[in-house]
Amino acid sequence: MLNIVLFGPPGAGKGTVAKKVVEEKKLVHLSTGDILREEIERGSALGKEAGQLIAQGQLVPDEVVVAMVREFVKRKIPCSGFIFDGFPRTTEQAKELDAIMAAQGAAITMMIALEVSEDEIIRRMLSRAEIEGRPDDTIDVIRKRIATYHEKIKVTSDYYKAQNKYYTVDSSLTPENTLRQILSIVKGEG
Ligand code: AMP
């Protein structure tokens, strides 16, 4: 199996790039942000709890997202692999993900972090907010989410660095360019 953890600040084009990698490598895409937004739309109990935290730019509790991911992985296996988009965001989630994969006789192949400047992130997200009308894309919330991301990425990337599974990709150009860089890393891994 090819199991990629895709990391990136909000607005780095993580969702778009993930979909392209999924098509190319026939993987299953798991975006915890997308699942949480679906729950909010459905008005479920989970959605109501998560909705308030997301609107404030805060992370949803580990046990909530871990349970969501465990269910999702169980449901999709057997498959040729996963791309985890926006998960794990804490060391606790990373450890739980290892356990989830090990229970299926699999492992995380690599973590890839998309890199893009803060100015470019804000520019992209404000334009996305106009198009999609997402309630969490206001300038204050965007700054808070970027700050939260920077606080969290060090811990999580250290986790994968320690396993020699950490790679970075320049995501400031086109999604196609980002895809090319990712595919060459995957190829290098064999
Ligand atoms: P995203 O679309 O990945 O940027 O996620 C949107 C929001 O959902 C985040 O700002 C968090 O509030 C929440 N969220 C998504 N994934 C996670 C996760 N792995 N852990 C905690 N909260 C998450």
Side-chain angles (χ1 to χ4, degrees):
M1 281 176 95
L2 172 64
N3 296 305
I4 301 174
V5 169
L6 186 64
F7 231 75
K14 186 164 44 81
T16 309
V17 167
K19 284 190 182 71
K20 288 183 182 294
V21 179
V22 160
E23 276 168 30
E24 196 72 33
K25 305 301 289 183
K26 306 278 176 275
L27 305 178
V28 176
H29 181 197
L30 192 170
S31 158
T32 43
D34 283 353
I35 297 177
L36 289 166
R37 279 186 289 276
E38 278 164 24
E39 293 289 338
I40 292 167
E41 254 173 52
R42 281 221 310 267
S44 68
L46 168 60
K48 288 198 175 99
E49 187 195 339
Q52 290 186 347
L53 294 167
I54 291 174
Q56 293 163 9
Q58 290 178 22
L59 291 181
V60 172
D62 286 341
E63 58 273 22
V64 174
V65 277
V66 166
M68 251 168 44
V69 170
R70 187 179 293 116
E71 264 319 295
F72 187 96
V73 166
K74 266 199 220 154
R75 213 163 3 103
K76 297 292 179 180
I77 279 182
C79 64
S80 52
F82 290 91
I83 185 151
F84 297 97
D85 168 2
F87 178 90
R89 292 189 185 181
T90 65
T91 307
E92 188 55 31
Q93 291 180 14
K95 285 183 183 163
E96 292 286 351
L97 180 57
D98 277 350
I100 290 169
M101 298 314 287
Q104 305 293 337
I108 294 300
T109 315
M110 62 177 64
M111 167 180 172
I112 296 178
L114 305 184
E115 294 191 327
V116 57
S117 75
E118 180 153 342
D119 283 354
E120 177 64 10
I121 290 171
I122 290 174
R123 197 192 62 72
R124 286 182 186 179
M125 289 189 76
L126 289 178
S127 106
R128 182 175 77 179
E130 270 180 35
I131 296 161
E132 293 181 8
R134 270 177 58 165
D136 56 339
D137 280 346
T138 63
I139 192 128
D140 285 349
V141 174
I142 292 168
R143 282 197 200 285
K144 178 104 200 252
R145 288 174 66 190
I146 294 171
T148 305
Y149 174 77
H150 285 305
E151 276 164 31
K152 297 287 178 191
I153 187 175
K154 188 175 175 345
V155 184
T156 315
S157 58
D158 280 353
Y159 185 86
Y160 290 103
K161 275 180 198 165
Q163 301 178 22
N164 289 323
K165 291 180 177 177
Y166 178 75
Y167 300 85
T168 59
V169 155
D170 174 9
S171 180
S172 62
L173 300 171
T174 60
E176 288 72 23
N177 182 284
T178 306
L179 176 67
R180 266 201 300 280
Q181 295 177 64
I182 292 174
L183 292 180
S184 88
I185 292 170
V186 168
K187 212 169 161 198
E189 272 298 297

